[in-house]
Amino acid sequence: MTRESWKTRLGFILAAVGSAVGLGNLWRFPWMTGENGGAAFLLVYLAIVLLVGVPGLLGELVVGRRGERNPVGALGALSGSRRWSGFGYLFVVTAIALLSFYSVVGGWILRYVVASFGGAYFGNPATYFESVNFGVEAVGFHLLFLGLTAFVVLRGVQRGIEVAAKVMVPALVVLLVGLAAWGVSLDGAGEGLAFFLSPDLGYLQANFLSILPAAAGQALFTLSLGAGTMLTYASYLGEDRSLATDGTAIAGFNTLVGLLAGFVVFPILFALGVGVGGGGPGSLFVSLAGAFAALPYGQVVGAVFFGAVVLAALSSSISMLEIPVSFLVDEYGVTRRTATAGLTALFAVTGTVCALDPELFDFVASTLVDLLLTAGLLGLLLFVGWVMGADALDEYRRGAGAFASSLGTPWLYAVGVVIPLFLTFTLVSGVVAALGVTVDPVSVLGVTFDQTRLLGVASAALVLAAFAGLRSPRSVL
């Protein structure tokens, strides 16, 4: 069976950007920013995108292009180890967890596009959201959104994913630019911009341990890292090109869209005195939807906004479904049609469970996904630095110019040593927070180690153990 490839370079970049530019930017980003101090969260988030996200993205692209297969097959083939092939299944599991709740939120958005024209949620947005977010009707819209996703994936890489990306991503950007330009012109929008752009350093210092895991999870979620998405997309690359250039363009474009979303959401909320509140997953559908009711032509604005969100959601859900589809096609020789149909049936069930159980939905959409994405990227970067080693460096330099090639060795040290330390600390902190564990200070030789320092020491010890156990003859570290 001949493996598909991207028809054009632009098609690959737009598809990768479409995967990254999804609900992470337009639904999860305002929610996380609003609940974690506004600009304080933004500052940490941008730092993680630059220092962790871009090098991590390059790591996924390197493994994908070198392996030319899905995460399971690529890790197994490049390492010659069944253990690494087994680790690849984590990415398939993560994709299943992601799309199981993602399709539910996609269904909410479809519902709101329709409801915007009649202003159904204008009277009492909170009550309306509570009446439609979970239950039988939510299941119906989840299935509709899933069906749209499956239709694109069924058509394949060139005729489905690439064509859809070339249409949806530019349309999304045009809509967001128009909404942002209009939003910042509203009276009172300045307060919203201040909340979004002026960090409170005192708040950041006092809440750093809670902001860090949220910002890291958001950065990985919005860049589609840790789920094998970029790895899978890179496996369809059929020519030498600069992965450093493409990866930087993907991360930069994605971050730009996230900032545009902030320029849309927060000026509108503050201009109308709504505030960001603590609405959690429903904040977009309550706070912002309520703001539309007070705007001139609110029905039109609401329909345009939620229409843009639908485009973003579909571009990402397509990539999530492609991961397990690629796995079945590559590893078991299943036809794309059969794989797509079978997996759509699976997601119809898992998404239905999330659409009927709010507590399970909240757990999957935040805690579980954050931990899975962090663990996935951590393992992948250890693989790049300590198992692939020189091969990873060689793949990074294929098609790269002189400047990008000169950054190859620093990049390998970053993904093999520095970033794993950060991700391990984030993962350990996230697990401790999820379990509700509080670690008492410990004094050693007159030095007091609080919870942060203890977690740092534990993280460093775990990473050193990983280095010792994973180092291969190909490692250049």
Side-chain angles (χ1 to χ4, degrees), residues 231-320:
L231 189 161
T232 302
Y233 274 11
S235 73
Y236 297 125
L237 286 172
E239 60 182 272
D240 289 351
R241 62 186 65 181
S242 174
L243 294 180
T245 300
D246 288 356
T248 303
I250 292 166
F253 198 92
N254 171 74
T255 303
L256 175 63
V257 173
L259 292 174
L260 277 175
F263 281 109
V264 172
V265 173
F266 296 111
I268 293 176
L269 293 180
F270 280 84
L272 298 174
V274 176
V276 294
S283 58
L284 180 71
F285 302 94
V286 177
S287 298
L288 195 60
F292 292 150
L295 294 173
Y297 307 106
Q299 295 179 9
V300 175
V301 175
V304 171
F305 176 79
F306 285 113
V309 181
V310 165
L311 293 177
L314 278 172
S315 63
S316 289
S317 64
I318 289 165
S319 68
M320 295 173 192

Side-chain angles (χ1 to χ4, degrees), residues 325-395:
V325 166
S326 174
F327 164 67
L328 292 178
V329 171
D330 289 347
E331 303 305 310
Y332 295 100
V334 178
T335 65
R336 177 170 286 271
R337 180 180 296 275
T338 301
T340 303
L343 287 165
T344 300
L346 170 65
F347 286 118
V349 174
T350 57
T352 295
V353 174
C354 286
L356 296 175
D357 189 337
E359 291 186 3
L360 177 63
F361 174 91
D362 287 346
F363 172 73
V364 173
S366 55
T367 303
L368 179 61
V369 165
D370 285 352
L371 294 178
L372 286 175
L373 293 177
T374 305
L377 183 59
L378 171 61
L380 183 78
L381 296 188
L382 289 173
F383 175 82
V384 169
W386 295 85
V387 178
M388 288 185 67
D391 291 337
L393 193 56
D394 176 67
E395 189 63 34

Side-chain angles (χ1 to χ4, degrees), residues 14 20 35 60 97 138 149 162 192 203 213 251 256 274 276 295 335 341 352 470 472-473:
L14 287 179
E35 292 195 344
E60 285 212 22
T149 302
E162 187 168 347
Y203 179 91
L256 175 63
V274 176
V276 294
L295 294 173
T335 65
T352 295
L470 295 177
S472 74

